[in-house]
Amino acid sequence: MKHPESWAVSQIPWQFFCTLTWANQGSFKRPPSPRRQVCAFFAFIREAAHVSGVHFKRLMWCLRHETGEITGRDHYHCLLSVVGSEWVRLTTCFYLMHYWEKKLRCGHARVRVFQPALGGAAYTCKDLAESLAGKDRYEFEKFFGTATALTLSKSVFRFIDTRQMISVQGDGAPSTAGL
């Protein structure tokens, strides 16, 4: 059975998959404090909302913090989406990477247009309900725990609640009772 968070994440039409890494050199001799990391992430997603042309509260996001195995470097995996927005372009990816790296000066970023076939949502959730094996199973066992909790925006829950409130009446006509 899937975790509730994994189910919620699988219901969203994600548009971007991001890996945001903290630099361990230059201005940061060690990774910044957890508070600084969270503040930088929120600055990043506020800029993403601005670029998408919507209010911050409409931006759907999913976040997971991890520490790299080889370098010990802290990083985030996140998914972003604004349903109905026309902001999904390669130029948006480059702009958001530039924002994280040059404007916020946090480290390096990889922002990609989300492709469901690549399993970015399952990777972000570390969901093994699907057929993951070998290296993927190792990654799951290494990172799945309280230190790597999944964080979802309120807009994700609003999106799911709205979808659940829409039901089909006996005559086949959709009903939006309770909306």
Side-chain angles (χ1 to χ4, degrees):
M1 181 170 162
K2 287 187 175 185
H3 295 281
E5 297 90 352
S6 298
W7 178 85
V9 169
S10 71
Q11 302 302 303
I12 307 298
W14 297 110
Q15 295 170 322
F16 293 99
F17 177 77
C18 312
T19 300
L20 309 171
T21 305
W22 296 97
N24 284 347
Q25 69 277 351
S27 59
F28 298 122
K29 297 300 180 197
R30 59 178 182 235
S33 70
R35 181 168 190 229
R36 164 76 169 102
Q37 290 181 13
V38 169
C39 288
F41 173 73
F42 274 92
F44 176 79
I45 59 174
R46 283 187 184 280
E47 184 64 18
H50 175 74
V51 168
S52 72
V54 300
H55 190 277
F56 171 73
K57 290 182 179 182
R58 283 202 52 222
L59 179 70
M60 291 186 281
W61 53 268
C62 168
L63 175 71
R64 180 177 293 280
H65 172 267
E66 295 178 355
T67 301
E69 180 179 292
I70 296 172
T71 63
R73 188 175 291 176
D74 288 346
H75 62 278
Y76 288 131
H77 293 294
C78 71
L79 299 165
L80 302 174
S81 184
V82 176
V83 175
S85 175
E86 299 296 324
W87 73 319
V88 183
R89 296 182 192 92
L90 192 56
T91 54
T92 306
C93 295
F94 286 117
Y95 176 80
L96 291 174
M97 286 189 289
H98 175 78
Y99 189 79
W100 181 263
E101 295 169 358
K102 305 296 183 196
K103 300 280 186 185
L104 295 177
R105 299 182 340 154
C106 292
H108 63 271
R110 295 297 167 258
V111 179
R112 297 172 190 89
V113 173
F114 183 78
Q115 296 177 4
L118 297 180
Y123 182 77
T124 302
C125 293
K126 303 294 184 191
D127 180 25
L128 273 189
E130 306 303 320
S131 60
L132 298 180
K135 208 185 242 187
D136 292 330
R137 182 173 299 278
Y138 170 75
E139 286 286 319
F140 174 81
E141 290 170 353
K142 182 180 90 168
F143 290 118
F144 191 71
T146 57
T148 59
L150 193 66
T151 307
L152 303 173
S153 66
K154 287 184 180 180
S155 54
V156 168
F157 295 106
R158 281 194 303 270
F159 180 83
I160 292 168
D161 287 345
T162 301
R163 286 185 54 169
Q164 289 180 343
M165 283 191 250
I166 298 173
S167 64
V168 177
Q169 295 178 346
D171 61 1
S175 169
T176 55
L179 285 180

